[in-house]
Amino acid sequence: MAQARVAILPIPSAGHIKSTLEMAKLLHRYHFSVTVLVVPLPNYPVGDYIATIAATGLDINFWHIQPVDPPKGADGPEDFITAYMEKQNHHIKSALHDLLRSDDAPLAALIVDLFATGAIDVAAELGVPCYVHFASNAAFLALMLYLPTLEEKFPEEFEEMEEEVRVPGVCPIPPISMPSPFMRKKSGRYTCFVHHGRRYSELKGIVVNTFTDLEPATLRALEEGLCAPGRRTPPVYPVGPLIAREDSEKNRQHECVVWLDGQPARSVAFLCFGSGGCFNAAQVGEIAAGLERSGCRFLWALRVASEEEVYGRRKPADAKLEEVLPEGFLERTKARGMVWPSWAPQVEILAHRSVGGFVTHCGWNSCLESLQCGVPLLGWPLYAEQHSNAVVMEEEMGVALQLKVERANGNFVKAEELERGVRALMGESEEGRRVRAKAEEMMAAAKKAWEDGGSSFVNMEALVHALLAK
């Protein structure tokens, strides 16, 4: 029998749900019964992720929350999802109330997504300890906690600052590389982050998908309370890397993986941009030209922008290669490259012996998946906190290089810049050798973190103790 039950509240977002379900599986390993509160969102199906976990037979239950009308007048995706989750509070309270009355294991805690701080009030009303599962890195957590302080110190727009943005425990961040929601301070996107950063002081704890050797200075600053001056910093539990492993026979026989089987070790640059990354025709042409001129082997998972929007962003669609690629490109590069026009099994690809570099949007799940395999990164940030992630991955962690992105032009990257970046990542330059060595070092550190006595192992034991103490 489970020693206690934990309820988890993710937002309906692919990256957040993947990370949350890995957290659910981890809690199950520690003999907790887990109930995931599934919040529906029109036109955003999450059934595939849920079905994958349900098929494992683990003691993880899914409680489907009733839909509500989407909020009107939201200013961007972050403002929308914050308001949408708050509109769900009545249904969340009802679900928690039923769990508290259940004869099953006692409810030890509610663990909510970083955007669902409205549920803190629901948990407090019912006497349930509330934690946040922070699906990004410790650097972004530090930035969120420090954001109210930055707002007081620098009321002007970040782009107007002449100096770099300094957050305790984090490398200096150029103002132009601040997260996308922070670039207009009068927007609801920005103010909702200030709001969440303040509310974190009310939490019982924050569970972060990172590990100590990857972000030691940042985690130390968080532990010392330096990132929330004048406010309480709850205990922070780095228990990463938590990575969804899609190790199925179907994925191992995927055409991309089969193609990689025929390539030399560590010779292929893999280009993939997450569940939300997509490009217009002009950018596709620049990528093709840059890859062709680089002379490097490549595997490119190409998705294009559709007319449909989710959270205010264009939804990716499968590409029709003959329509979007330059004429003759596939024929000229067929001996050393492959373009895949749909979803690709990223975890299996990054783990393949032939992959030597990863051109990525710097979404945190993708970064961890790459480091778990010892693959260095070339950052091409697109949205959310990815621009600051790219800086931290290069300057703080030393596992990545960055492309020069024209942020004011939709994060456009020219062909010659991609050519330069891919050659630097895959070639024998000093910077290429440096990031490859650091990525391999972090691969070993990630494995060690979950060995008996490792940092994430110890932090998880502390979290379990806190959950049971209530």
Side-chain angles (χ1 to χ4, degrees):
M1 180 178 176
Q3 56 186 338
R5 180 177 295 277
V6 173
I8 302 182
L9 178 64
I11 65 168
S13 161
H16 287 243
I17 286 178
K18 284 175 69 175
S19 182
T20 296
L21 293 182
E22 290 308 302
M23 186 68 210
K25 289 195 287 186
L26 178 59
L27 287 165
H28 179 268
R29 277 168 44 193
Y30 281 82
H31 309 294
F32 286 91
S33 179
V34 180
T35 297
V36 179
L37 306 180
V38 181
V39 175
L41 183 67
N43 302 319
Y44 200 93
V46 296
D48 289 347
Y49 297 108
I50 293 172
T52 299
I53 300 298
T56 64
L58 300 177
D59 186 15
I60 298 175
N61 304 302
F62 295 93
W63 192 300
H64 292 267
I65 302 293
Q66 293 295 317
V68 298
D69 293 332
K72 297 179 180 179
D75 187 9
E78 298 83 5
D79 188 37
F80 172 88
I81 199 60
T82 296
Y84 187 73
M85 296 301 287
E86 288 187 354
K87 289 189 71 173
Q88 292 283 2
N89 276 351
H90 174 74
H91 295 306
I92 294 166
K93 180 180 177 180
S94 177
L96 292 179
H97 190 264
D98 287 347
L99 289 173
L100 285 167
R101 291 192 304 173
S102 171
D103 293 331
D104 294 335
L107 184 60
L110 171 66
I111 301 178
V112 305
D113 186 90
L114 66 93
F115 287 109
T117 59
I120 294 174
D121 298 323
V122 176
E125 184 179 344
L126 296 176
V128 177
C130 191
Y131 295 73
V132 152
H133 174 235
F134 200 83
S136 190
N137 49 48
F140 187 51
L141 172 59
L143 178 54
M144 276 189 68
L145 289 173
Y146 201 64
L147 201 55
T149 303
L150 285 174
E151 177 65 11
E152 293 173 4
K153 288 184 174 181
F154 306 104
E156 71 270 27
E157 296 289 349
F158 286 115
E159 285 183 294
E160 297 173 3
M161 291 176 58
E162 296 182 358
E163 57 188 286
E164 294 176 309
V165 179
R166 296 183 180 273
V167 175
V170 181
C171 64
I173 300 174
I176 193 61
S177 294
M178 288 292 277
S180 297
F182 298 1
M183 300 309 285
R184 285 193 305 114
K185 287 191 172 184
K186 293 182 180 179
S187 71
R189 299 181 71 189
Y190 174 75
T191 56
C192 83
F193 274 97
V194 178
H195 169 74
H196 292 311
R198 287 197 176 103
R199 294 226 63 184
Y200 284 2
S201 63
E202 303 170 51
L203 295 163
K204 184 75 180 292
I206 302 174
V207 186
V208 193
N209 191 8
T210 190
F211 54 100
T212 301
D213 284 347
L214 186 60
E215 300 185 87
T218 308
L219 290 168
R220 190 162 51 248
L222 287 165
E223 183 180 357
E224 294 172 0
L226 301 179
C227 302
R231 290 175 288 122
R232 170 182 171 269
T233 301
V236 175
Y237 301 94
V239 298
L242 301 178
I243 295 171
R245 291 171 176 80
E246 302 159 351
D247 189 21
S248 68
E249 185 62 30
K250 179 181 177 181
N251 286 342
R252 288 193 293 272
Q253 294 178 358
H254 192 279
E255 286 185 50
C256 292
V257 177
V258 173
W259 181 82
L260 286 169
D261 289 341
Q263 308 305 315
R266 296 298 194 192
S267 66
V268 176
F270 175 43
L271 293 82
C272 190
F273 300 91
S275 59
C278 54
F279 300 104
N280 59 27
Q283 183 64 89
V284 170
E286 293 292 312
I287 296 172
L291 289 174
E292 185 170 1
R293 297 203 301 240
S294 74
C296 295
R297 298 175 187 270
F298 64 88
L299 170 58
W300 177 12
L302 169 59
R303 307 194 76 193
V304 296
S306 71
E307 295 301 317
E308 187 178 353
E309 289 191 355
V310 175
Y311 293 161
R313 287 194 289 264
R314 289 288 186 89
K315 189 175 181 180
D318 293 350
K320 296 179 180 178
L321 299 184
E322 66 279 1
E323 294 181 6
V324 297
L325 290 172
E327 185 176 356
F329 172 78
L330 292 175
E331 180 65 26
R332 294 192 299 273
T333 60
K334 66 180 181 181
R336 60 178 175 87
M338 179 181 187
V339 184
W340 185 252
S342 183
W343 175 89
Q346 180 169 291
V347 174
E348 280 75 18
I349 289 171
L350 288 169
H352 199 284
R353 62 169 183 79
S354 295
V355 174
F358 185 26
V359 184
T360 173
H361 62 309
C362 294
W364 188 236
N365 284 340
S366 293
C367 293
L368 287 178
E369 289 167 5
S370 194
L371 294 181
Q372 179 92 342
C373 301
V375 176
L377 305 98
L378 180 60
W380 182 341
L382 299 174
Y383 53 85
E385 86 281 21
Q386 294 162 11
H387 293 84
S388 57
N389 282 354
V391 174
V392 170
M393 296 285 288
E394 180 176 45
E395 301 295 337
E396 186 83 19
M397 302 175 189
V399 295
L401 304 176
Q402 287 189 75
L403 290 170
K404 294 177 182 177
V405 174
E406 296 178 12
R407 194 163 184 181
N409 188 23
N411 301 301
F412 197 80
V413 171
K414 293 180 179 178
E416 54 267 31
E417 175 60 13
L418 181 61
E419 175 190 1
R420 179 203 65 78
V422 169
R423 283 183 170 178
L425 184 69
M426 302 299 295
E428 290 304 316
S429 66
E430 180 182 349
E431 56 184 350
R433 290 196 300 269
R434 184 182 69 248
V435 295
R436 285 196 292 272
K438 192 65 176 181
E440 290 185 4
E441 180 186 330
M442 287 300 104
M443 175 177 64
K447 181 180 179 181
K448 184 180 178 182
W450 268 109
E451 292 177 352
D452 193 0
S455 62
S456 294
F457 180 92
V458 170
N459 292 329
M460 188 62 197
E461 293 280 336
L463 175 60
V464 168
H465 179 78
L467 290 171
L468 294 176
K470 197 172 176 178

